Amino acid sequence: GQGLPPPQLPSQGSETLLPSTIDKIATDFTRKHKCPDVKLVRDVIAALVAARNERAENLSEEQRQSGVQEVRYGDFLQLLHVSTGKMVSVSKAQAHERGERKVEFSEGGTE
C-alpha cells in the first residue's frame, strides 16, 4: 500500500535469475523502502521474473509460428479454415497416395 514502483530486475540475459539474486534484490528493496516483509517482496520479484520469462517464450513462439520460416518438403502443417473454424486436413493414407488431392474439414485435424 505504499505506492512503490516494482523492484527493478536486471536486464534479461540468456539465464533465468538465481534464487540468491532474487533474495539480494528483495533484501535491497526492503531496506531501501523500509518494507517489513522480505518474503512478500521476494514473491513479487519471482512473479515478475516468471511473467518476463513467459513474455519472452510467447514472443519466441509467435515468431516461430508467424510464417517467417519457409515451408519445406516433409514439414507438418496445420491449416485453419477461417469461415468454418475447422482444420483443413489430409489423412496419412491420402498423403502417401500419388496424385491424391482430396482435403477434408475436421474439428480437430488429423495426425
Side-chain angles (χ1 to χ4, degrees):
Q2 297 180 17
L4 298 174
Q8 286 296 106
L9 302 177
S11 62
Q12 186 173 6
S14 59
E15 304 172 4
T16 150
L17 290 179
L18 297 173
S20 59
T21 305
I22 292 174
D23 288 342
K24 176 157 179 25
I25 295 169
T27 303
D28 292 347
F29 186 86
T30 54
R31 283 187 189 143
K32 179 179 178 182
H33 298 289
K34 297 178 176 67
C35 297
D37 194 352
V38 176
K39 184 185 178 320
L40 178 64
V41 173
R42 188 179 305 124
D43 291 346
V44 168
I45 293 170
L48 290 170
V49 169
R52 182 175 73 178
N53 291 343
E54 185 172 351
R55 273 193 305 275
E57 289 173 15
N58 288 346
L59 179 60
S60 174
E61 181 66 15
E62 183 180 316
Q63 288 172 343
R64 187 184 73 77
Q65 291 185 7
S66 70
V68 184
Q69 300 173 353
E70 54 187 52
V71 177
R72 296 188 178 172
Y73 181 78
D75 285 352
F76 178 77
L77 299 175
Q78 286 188 314
L79 303 174
L80 178 67
H81 189 263
V82 177
S83 299
T84 63
K86 294 183 178 183
M87 301 301 292
V88 178
S89 60
V90 177
S91 72
K92 284 184 179 181
Q94 291 170 337
H96 293 297
E97 291 180 24
R98 191 181 259 320
E100 186 66 45
R101 301 284 184 242
K102 182 179 178 188
V103 296
E104 300 171 345
F105 291 120
S106 64
E107 295 296 329
T110 58
E111 294 182 24

